[in-house]
Amino acid sequence: NWHAKTFKGLKKLLYNLFFPFLLFVECSASLYQVEWVVDGDTIRLKNGWSIRYLLINTPELGEVFSLEAMQKNRELTEDQWVRLEFDVQKMDAYGRYLAFVFSKHKMVNQVLVEEGFAHLLIIPPNRKYESLLLEAQRKAQEEKKGIWSTEEYSTLLHISSFRANPEGDESEDPNREYVRIVNITSHPLSLKGFQVKDSQGNTYTFGDISLPPGYSVLLYSGVGEDQQDPKEQLRVYWNSPQPIWDNEGDVCSIYDSEGNLITRKVYEP
């Protein structure tokens, strides 16, 4: 009986001594130190990982508010210990981890949207925090913060990617070319009758496709079968046997069903 009590007391003592240390190790293992900030929505960790923020997109370097977005990202994360939260798909095609990033109990993705440095970019199957971020974007739009104070973002759609001159030979596979078009409003948008044109007048006309707020559609130049289920990435095809976009320079223009210019993006080599 004495031995049992002694063992029980020793066990309790060891637990009290080492549990806080084990808890610290476990918590520290889920934290990662940021080495440097790549741009407004990407960071590099000291372990070598590149992290692309989920569900948001900041202006590319050289575009309006790109430097402000990058500076805000620095304020929130550079040299800080951050927590990562993943969704269904953990990596992208470029080998970057896709995550919600938390620094000092704040979700960095959310702060960037709240302050008008980012717009929603929801790419299924990752949808976690969709409602939270959509509400943050609505408020930033109403208050005309950051990008929402500019003419470029005072519209229905935004061209977030214009892959006019991809790696490889697009003459062998025109689907190497694509345009990513994002609904930056706070409501679903019917694209029926909308048109995409290049500088030579080549035209693609959308069929009956609805784009939820924050979601995007990929328009590929080549031949393929359209994918219009919003549970997956929306994809449509120009069905051209040859590349559409000029590698020497081109302009992607989007018009609504009445022929009004919505937005355009310039490609310069």
PDB file of all heavy atoms in Angstrom, residues 208-237:
ATOM      1  N   ASP A 208     -25.017  30.107 -70.770  1.00  0.00           N
ATOM      2  CA  ASP A 208     -25.787  30.330 -69.538  1.00  0.00           C
ATOM      3  C   ASP A 208     -25.002  29.797 -68.341  1.00  0.00           C
ATOM      4  O   ASP A 208     -25.179  28.657 -67.919  1.00  0.00           O
ATOM      5  CB  ASP A 208     -27.147  29.635 -69.649  1.00  0.00           C
ATOM      6  CG  ASP A 208     -28.090  30.044 -68.519  1.00  0.00           C
ATOM      7  OD1 ASP A 208     -27.736  30.961 -67.765  1.00  0.00           O
ATOM      8  OD2 ASP A 208     -29.170  29.435 -68.413  1.00  0.00           O
ATOM      9  N   ILE A 209     -24.121  30.631 -67.818  1.00  0.00           N
ATOM     10  CA  ILE A 209     -23.288  30.237 -66.685  1.00  0.00           C
ATOM     11  C   ILE A 209     -23.426  31.278 -65.588  1.00  0.00           C
ATOM     12  O   ILE A 209     -23.435  32.486 -65.849  1.00  0.00           O
ATOM     13  CB  ILE A 209     -21.806  30.086 -67.114  1.00  0.00           C
ATOM     14  CG1 ILE A 209     -20.934  29.648 -65.934  1.00  0.00           C
ATOM     15  CG2 ILE A 209     -21.274  31.359 -67.727  1.00  0.00           C
ATOM     16  CD1 ILE A 209     -19.521  29.277 -66.333  1.00  0.00           C
ATOM     17  N   SER A 210     -23.597  30.812 -64.345  1.00  0.00           N
ATOM     18  CA  SER A 210     -23.727  31.707 -63.194  1.00  0.00           C
ATOM     19  C   SER A 210     -22.469  31.612 -62.342  1.00  0.00           C
ATOM     20  O   SER A 210     -21.992  30.516 -62.038  1.00  0.00           O
ATOM     21  CB  SER A 210     -24.950  31.328 -62.357  1.00  0.00           C
ATOM     22  OG  SER A 210     -25.080  32.195 -61.241  1.00  0.00           O
ATOM     23  N   LEU A 211     -21.952  32.771 -61.958  1.00  0.00           N
ATOM     24  CA  LEU A 211     -20.705  32.842 -61.193  1.00  0.00           C
ATOM     25  C   LEU A 211     -21.005  33.375 -59.793  1.00  0.00           C
ATOM     26  O   LEU A 211     -21.372  34.539 -59.634  1.00  0.00           O
ATOM     27  CB  LEU A 211     -19.723  33.765 -61.920  1.00  0.00           C
ATOM     28  CG  LEU A 211     -18.236  33.688 -61.586  1.00  0.00           C
ATOM     29  CD1 LEU A 211     -17.704  32.277 -61.769  1.00  0.00           C
ATOM     30  CD2 LEU A 211     -17.456  34.673 -62.446  1.00  0.00           C
ATOM     31  N   PRO A 212     -20.881  32.535 -58.747  1.00  0.00           N
ATOM     32  CA  PRO A 212     -21.128  33.013 -57.376  1.00  0.00           C
ATOM     33  C   PRO A 212     -20.116  34.082 -56.969  1.00  0.00           C
ATOM     34  O   PRO A 212     -19.023  34.166 -57.546  1.00  0.00           O
ATOM     35  CB  PRO A 212     -20.963  31.741 -56.530  1.00  0.00           C
ATOM     36  CG  PRO A 212     -21.109  30.604 -57.491  1.00  0.00           C
ATOM     37  CD  PRO A 212     -20.561  31.109 -58.791  1.00  0.00           C
ATOM     38  N   PRO A 213     -20.449  34.913 -55.980  1.00  0.00           N
ATOM     39  CA  PRO A 213     -19.513  35.953 -55.547  1.00  0.00           C
ATOM     40  C   PRO A 213     -18.199  35.370 -55.044  1.00  0.00           C
ATOM     41  O   PRO A 213     -18.194  34.416 -54.255  1.00  0.00           O
ATOM     42  CB  PRO A 213     -20.267  36.673 -54.423  1.00  0.00           C
ATOM     43  CG  PRO A 213     -21.322  35.717 -53.985  1.00  0.00           C
ATOM     44  CD  PRO A 213     -21.689  34.921 -55.190  1.00  0.00           C
ATOM     45  N   GLY A 214     -17.088  35.919 -55.532  1.00  0.00           N
ATOM     46  CA  GLY A 214     -15.770  35.449 -55.119  1.00  0.00           C
ATOM     47  C   GLY A 214     -15.242  34.285 -55.925  1.00  0.00           C
ATOM     48  O   GLY A 214     -14.076  33.924 -55.801  1.00  0.00           O
ATOM     49  N   TYR A 215     -16.086  33.687 -56.753  1.00  0.00           N
ATOM     50  CA  TYR A 215     -15.671  32.539 -57.560  1.00  0.00           C
ATOM     51  C   TYR A 215     -15.143  33.013 -58.915  1.00  0.00           C
ATOM     52  O   TYR A 215     -15.397  34.140 -59.336  1.00  0.00           O
ATOM     53  CB  TYR A 215     -16.828  31.562 -57.764  1.00  0.00           C
ATOM     54  CG  TYR A 215     -17.124  30.716 -56.548  1.00  0.00           C
ATOM     55  CD1 TYR A 215     -17.663  31.283 -55.392  1.00  0.00           C
ATOM     56  CD2 TYR A 215     -16.867  29.351 -56.549  1.00  0.00           C
ATOM     57  CE1 TYR A 215     -17.941  30.511 -54.270  1.00  0.00           C
ATOM     58  CE2 TYR A 215     -17.150  28.561 -55.432  1.00  0.00           C
ATOM     59  CZ  TYR A 215     -17.681  29.154 -54.297  1.00  0.00           C
ATOM     60  OH  TYR A 215     -17.946  28.385 -53.184  1.00  0.00           O
ATOM     61  N   SER A 216     -14.424  32.116 -59.588  1.00  0.00           N
ATOM     62  CA  SER A 216     -13.823  32.465 -60.874  1.00  0.00           C
ATOM     63  C   SER A 216     -14.167  31.422 -61.919  1.00  0.00           C
ATOM     64  O   SER A 216     -14.558  30.299 -61.597  1.00  0.00           O
ATOM     65  CB  SER A 216     -12.298  32.572 -60.741  1.00  0.00           C
ATOM     66  OG  SER A 216     -11.732  31.285 -60.475  1.00  0.00           O
ATOM     67  N   VAL A 217     -13.995  31.827 -63.174  1.00  0.00           N
ATOM     68  CA  VAL A 217     -14.123  30.896 -64.283  1.00  0.00           C
ATOM     69  C   VAL A 217     -12.842  30.970 -65.096  1.00  0.00           C
ATOM     70  O   VAL A 217     -12.293  32.063 -65.302  1.00  0.00           O
ATOM     71  CB  VAL A 217     -15.357  31.210 -65.158  1.00  0.00           C
ATOM     72  CG1 VAL A 217     -15.315  32.622 -65.709  1.00  0.00           C
ATOM     73  CG2 VAL A 217     -15.495  30.198 -66.292  1.00  0.00           C
ATOM     74  N   LEU A 218     -12.335  29.825 -65.500  1.00  0.00           N
ATOM     75  CA  LEU A 218     -11.149  29.757 -66.345  1.00  0.00           C
ATOM     76  C   LEU A 218     -11.594  29.616 -67.790  1.00  0.00           C
ATOM     77  O   LEU A 218     -12.346  28.692 -68.121  1.00  0.00           O
ATOM     78  CB  LEU A 218     -10.267  28.574 -65.954  1.00  0.00           C
ATOM     79  CG  LEU A 218      -9.527  28.673 -64.615  1.00  0.00           C
ATOM     80  CD1 LEU A 218      -8.856  27.338 -64.281  1.00  0.00           C
ATOM     81  CD2 LEU A 218      -8.492  29.782 -64.654  1.00  0.00           C
ATOM     82  N   LEU A 219     -11.132  30.519 -68.639  1.00  0.00           N
ATOM     83  CA  LEU A 219     -11.401  30.446 -70.074  1.00  0.00           C
ATOM     84  C   LEU A 219     -10.135  29.986 -70.773  1.00  0.00           C
ATOM     85  O   LEU A 219      -9.151  30.727 -70.855  1.00  0.00           O
ATOM     86  CB  LEU A 219     -11.846  31.809 -70.611  1.00  0.00           C
ATOM     87  CG  LEU A 219     -11.959  31.947 -72.138  1.00  0.00           C
ATOM     88  CD1 LEU A 219     -12.920  30.919 -72.723  1.00  0.00           C
ATOM     89  CD2 LEU A 219     -12.368  33.368 -72.509  1.00  0.00           C
ATOM     90  N   TYR A 220     -10.162  28.736 -71.271  1.00  0.00           N
ATOM     91  CA  TYR A 220      -9.025  28.176 -71.985  1.00  0.00           C
ATOM     92  C   TYR A 220      -9.184  28.443 -73.482  1.00  0.00           C
ATOM     93  O   TYR A 220     -10.299  28.458 -74.018  1.00  0.00           O
ATOM     94  CB  TYR A 220      -8.926  26.671 -71.747  1.00  0.00           C
ATOM     95  CG  TYR A 220      -8.521  26.296 -70.339  1.00  0.00           C
ATOM     96  CD1 TYR A 220      -9.491  25.989 -69.384  1.00  0.00           C
ATOM     97  CD2 TYR A 220      -7.196  26.234 -69.963  1.00  0.00           C
ATOM     98  CE1 TYR A 220      -9.135  25.641 -68.091  1.00  0.00           C
ATOM     99  CE2 TYR A 220      -6.826  25.893 -68.680  1.00  0.00           C
ATOM    100  CZ  TYR A 220      -7.799  25.597 -67.745  1.00  0.00           C
ATOM    101  OH  TYR A 220      -7.444  25.250 -66.456  1.00  0.00           O
ATOM    102  N   SER A 221      -8.061  28.604 -74.160  1.00  0.00           N
ATOM    103  CA  SER A 221      -8.107  28.926 -75.590  1.00  0.00           C
ATOM    104  C   SER A 221      -8.482  27.732 -76.459  1.00  0.00           C
ATOM    105  O   SER A 221      -9.090  27.903 -77.515  1.00  0.00           O
ATOM    106  CB  SER A 221      -6.755  29.475 -76.055  1.00  0.00           C
ATOM    107  OG  SER A 221      -6.461  30.700 -75.420  1.00  0.00           O
ATOM    108  N   GLY A 222      -8.107  26.529 -76.050  1.00  0.00           N
ATOM    109  CA  GLY A 222      -8.257  25.358 -76.902  1.00  0.00           C
ATOM    110  C   GLY A 222      -9.594  24.660 -76.795  1.00  0.00           C
ATOM    111  O   GLY A 222     -10.607  25.245 -76.405  1.00  0.00           O
ATOM    112  N   VAL A 223      -9.566  23.367 -77.142  1.00  0.00           N
ATOM    113  CA  VAL A 223     -10.769  22.552 -77.205  1.00  0.00           C
ATOM    114  C   VAL A 223     -10.928  21.770 -75.897  1.00  0.00           C
ATOM    115  O   VAL A 223      -9.954  21.269 -75.337  1.00  0.00           O
ATOM    116  CB  VAL A 223     -10.692  21.571 -78.391  1.00  0.00           C
ATOM    117  CG1 VAL A 223     -11.911  20.662 -78.432  1.00  0.00           C
ATOM    118  CG2 VAL A 223     -10.558  22.346 -79.703  1.00  0.00           C
ATOM    119  N   GLY A 224     -12.168  21.673 -75.419  1.00  0.00           N
ATOM    120  CA  GLY A 224     -12.433  20.917 -74.205  1.00  0.00           C
ATOM    121  C   GLY A 224     -13.901  20.921 -73.865  1.00  0.00           C
ATOM    122  O   GLY A 224     -14.718  21.538 -74.560  1.00  0.00           O
ATOM    123  N   GLU A 225     -14.238  20.225 -72.786  1.00  0.00           N
ATOM    124  CA  GLU A 225     -15.631  20.145 -72.335  1.00  0.00           C
ATOM    125  C   GLU A 225     -15.835  21.077 -71.154  1.00  0.00           C
ATOM    126  O   GLU A 225     -15.132  20.982 -70.147  1.00  0.00           O
ATOM    127  CB  GLU A 225     -15.972  18.703 -71.943  1.00  0.00           C
ATOM    128  CG  GLU A 225     -17.420  18.506 -71.538  1.00  0.00           C
ATOM    129  CD  GLU A 225     -17.744  17.056 -71.226  1.00  0.00           C
ATOM    130  OE1 GLU A 225     -16.885  16.184 -71.491  1.00  0.00           O
ATOM    131  OE2 GLU A 225     -18.841  16.796 -70.695  1.00  0.00           O
ATOM    132  N   ASP A 226     -16.797  21.976 -71.278  1.00  0.00           N
ATOM    133  CA  ASP A 226     -17.063  22.948 -70.211  1.00  0.00           C
ATOM    134  C   ASP A 226     -17.418  22.238 -68.913  1.00  0.00           C
ATOM    135  O   ASP A 226     -18.085  21.194 -68.911  1.00  0.00           O
ATOM    136  CB  ASP A 226     -18.205  23.886 -70.611  1.00  0.00           C
ATOM    137  CG  ASP A 226     -17.831  24.816 -71.758  1.00  0.00           C
ATOM    138  OD1 ASP A 226     -16.652  24.804 -72.171  1.00  0.00           O
ATOM    139  OD2 ASP A 226     -18.725  25.550 -72.238  1.00  0.00           O
ATOM    140  N   GLN A 227     -17.005  22.829 -67.788  1.00  0.00           N
ATOM    141  CA  GLN A 227     -17.317  22.320 -66.457  1.00  0.00           C
ATOM    142  C   GLN A 227     -18.020  23.453 -65.716  1.00  0.00           C
ATOM    143  O   GLN A 227     -17.410  24.448 -65.381  1.00  0.00           O
ATOM    144  CB  GLN A 227     -16.038  21.913 -65.739  1.00  0.00           C
ATOM    145  CG  GLN A 227     -16.228  21.009 -64.523  1.00  0.00           C
ATOM    146  CD  GLN A 227     -17.094  21.574 -63.423  1.00  0.00           C
ATOM    147  OE1 GLN A 227     -18.220  21.122 -63.207  1.00  0.00           O
ATOM    148  NE2 GLN A 227     -16.600  22.583 -62.720  1.00  0.00           N
ATOM    149  N   GLN A 228     -19.335  23.303 -65.484  1.00  0.00           N
ATOM    150  CA  GLN A 228     -20.123  24.392 -64.914  1.00  0.00           C
ATOM    151  C   GLN A 228     -20.723  24.055 -63.554  1.00  0.00           C
ATOM    152  O   GLN A 228     -21.637  24.726 -63.096  1.00  0.00           O
ATOM    153  CB  GLN A 228     -21.218  24.807 -65.895  1.00  0.00           C
ATOM    154  CG  GLN A 228     -20.671  25.323 -67.216  1.00  0.00           C
ATOM    155  CD  GLN A 228     -21.736  25.917 -68.114  1.00  0.00           C
ATOM    156  OE1 GLN A 228     -22.801  26.310 -67.665  1.00  0.00           O
ATOM    157  NE2 GLN A 228     -21.436  25.998 -69.399  1.00  0.00           N
ATOM    158  N   ASP A 229     -20.195  23.025 -62.897  1.00  0.00           N
ATOM    159  CA  ASP A 229     -20.630  22.682 -61.546  1.00  0.00           C
ATOM    160  C   ASP A 229     -19.838  23.543 -60.557  1.00  0.00           C
ATOM    161  O   ASP A 229     -18.616  23.409 -60.455  1.00  0.00           O
ATOM    162  CB  ASP A 229     -20.373  21.198 -61.273  1.00  0.00           C
ATOM    163  CG  ASP A 229     -20.857  20.764 -59.890  1.00  0.00           C
ATOM    164  OD1 ASP A 229     -21.263  21.637 -59.105  1.00  0.00           O
ATOM    165  OD2 ASP A 229     -20.810  19.556 -59.600  1.00  0.00           O
ATOM    166  N   PRO A 230     -20.533  24.456 -59.805  1.00  0.00           N
ATOM    167  CA  PRO A 230     -19.808  25.359 -58.897  1.00  0.00           C
ATOM    168  C   PRO A 230     -19.100  24.655 -57.746  1.00  0.00           C
ATOM    169  O   PRO A 230     -18.323  25.280 -57.031  1.00  0.00           O
ATOM    170  CB  PRO A 230     -20.908  26.293 -58.382  1.00  0.00           C
ATOM    171  CG  PRO A 230     -22.184  25.530 -58.562  1.00  0.00           C
ATOM    172  CD  PRO A 230     -21.979  24.690 -59.790  1.00  0.00           C
ATOM    173  N   LYS A 231     -19.359  23.336 -57.568  1.00  0.00           N
ATOM    174  CA  LYS A 231     -18.632  22.599 -56.538  1.00  0.00           C
ATOM    175  C   LYS A 231     -17.191  22.337 -56.956  1.00  0.00           C
ATOM    176  O   LYS A 231     -16.363  21.936 -56.155  1.00  0.00           O
ATOM    177  CB  LYS A 231     -19.343  21.272 -56.242  1.00  0.00           C
ATOM    178  CG  LYS A 231     -20.711  21.449 -55.599  1.00  0.00           C
ATOM    179  CD  LYS A 231     -21.360  20.110 -55.334  1.00  0.00           C
ATOM    180  CE  LYS A 231     -22.740  20.288 -54.709  1.00  0.00           C
ATOM    181  NZ  LYS A 231     -23.413  18.989 -54.472  1.00  0.00           N
ATOM    182  N   GLU A 232     -16.916  22.549 -58.241  1.00  0.00           N
ATOM    183  CA  GLU A 232     -15.564  22.412 -58.770  1.00  0.00           C
ATOM    184  C   GLU A 232     -15.165  23.725 -59.450  1.00  0.00           C
ATOM    185  O   GLU A 232     -15.982  24.632 -59.586  1.00  0.00           O
ATOM    186  CB  GLU A 232     -15.510  21.254 -59.776  1.00  0.00           C
ATOM    187  CG  GLU A 232     -15.882  19.912 -59.202  1.00  0.00           C
ATOM    188  CD  GLU A 232     -15.823  18.805 -60.234  1.00  0.00           C
ATOM    189  OE1 GLU A 232     -15.046  18.945 -61.205  1.00  0.00           O
ATOM    190  OE2 GLU A 232     -16.556  17.818 -60.090  1.00  0.00           O
ATOM    191  N   GLN A 233     -13.913  23.826 -59.854  1.00  0.00           N
ATOM    192  CA  GLN A 233     -13.479  25.015 -60.589  1.00  0.00           C
ATOM    193  C   GLN A 233     -14.237  25.102 -61.912  1.00  0.00           C
ATOM    194  O   GLN A 233     -14.248  24.165 -62.702  1.00  0.00           O
ATOM    195  CB  GLN A 233     -11.977  24.960 -60.857  1.00  0.00           C
ATOM    196  CG  GLN A 233     -11.454  26.051 -61.769  1.00  0.00           C
ATOM    197  CD  GLN A 233     -11.629  27.441 -61.187  1.00  0.00           C
ATOM    198  OE1 GLN A 233     -11.089  27.755 -60.142  1.00  0.00           O
ATOM    199  NE2 GLN A 233     -12.386  28.294 -61.877  1.00  0.00           N
ATOM    200  N   LEU A 234     -14.897  26.250 -62.147  1.00  0.00           N
ATOM    201  CA  LEU A 234     -15.619  26.452 -63.399  1.00  0.00           C
ATOM    202  C   LEU A 234     -14.623  26.624 -64.531  1.00  0.00           C
ATOM    203  O   LEU A 234     -13.659  27.379 -64.424  1.00  0.00           O
ATOM    204  CB  LEU A 234     -16.519  27.686 -63.296  1.00  0.00           C
ATOM    205  CG  LEU A 234     -17.621  27.627 -62.230  1.00  0.00           C
ATOM    206  CD1 LEU A 234     -18.297  28.980 -62.078  1.00  0.00           C
ATOM    207  CD2 LEU A 234     -18.647  26.561 -62.590  1.00  0.00           C
ATOM    208  N   ARG A 235     -14.871  25.904 -65.648  1.00  0.00           N
ATOM    209  CA  ARG A 235     -13.977  25.956 -66.801  1.00  0.00           C
ATOM    210  C   ARG A 235     -14.793  26.022 -68.084  1.00  0.00           C
ATOM    211  O   ARG A 235     -15.777  25.283 -68.229  1.00  0.00           O
ATOM    212  CB  ARG A 235     -13.066  24.722 -66.860  1.00  0.00           C
ATOM    213  CG  ARG A 235     -12.144  24.552 -65.682  1.00  0.00           C
ATOM    214  CD  ARG A 235     -11.177  23.382 -65.905  1.00  0.00           C
ATOM    215  NE  ARG A 235     -11.881  22.135 -66.160  1.00  0.00           N
ATOM    216  CZ  ARG A 235     -12.301  21.315 -65.216  1.00  0.00           C
ATOM    217  NH1 ARG A 235     -12.078  21.602 -63.940  1.00  0.00           N
ATOM    218  NH2 ARG A 235     -12.926  20.187 -65.529  1.00  0.00           N
ATOM    219  N   VAL A 236     -14.407  26.899 -68.990  1.00  0.00           N
ATOM    220  CA  VAL A 236     -15.023  26.946 -70.314  1.00  0.00           C
ATOM    221  C   VAL A 236     -13.902  27.005 -71.351  1.00  0.00           C
ATOM    222  O   VAL A 236     -12.763  27.377 -71.035  1.00  0.00           O
ATOM    223  CB  VAL A 236     -15.977  28.156 -70.474  1.00  0.00           C
ATOM    224  CG1 VAL A 236     -17.182  28.024 -69.566  1.00  0.00           C
ATOM    225  CG2 VAL A 236     -15.246  29.469 -70.215  1.00  0.00           C
ATOM    226  N   TYR A 237     -14.247  26.637 -72.601  1.00  0.00           N
ATOM    227  CA  TYR A 237     -13.237  26.514 -73.649  1.00  0.00           C
ATOM    228  C   TYR A 237     -13.637  27.327 -74.887  1.00  0.00           C
ATOM    229  O   TYR A 237     -14.784  27.291 -75.330  1.00  0.00           O
ATOM    230  CB  TYR A 237     -13.045  25.043 -74.026  1.00  0.00           C
ATOM    231  CG  TYR A 237     -12.447  24.236 -72.895  1.00  0.00           C
ATOM    232  CD1 TYR A 237     -13.253  23.739 -71.877  1.00  0.00           C
ATOM    233  CD2 TYR A 237     -11.080  24.006 -72.829  1.00  0.00           C
ATOM    234  CE1 TYR A 237     -12.711  23.018 -70.822  1.00  0.00           C
ATOM    235  CE2 TYR A 237     -10.524  23.285 -71.777  1.00  0.00           C
ATOM    236  CZ  TYR A 237     -11.344  22.795 -70.775  1.00  0.00           C
ATOM    237  OH  TYR A 237     -10.797  22.085 -69.728  1.00  0.00           O
TER     238      TYR A 237
END
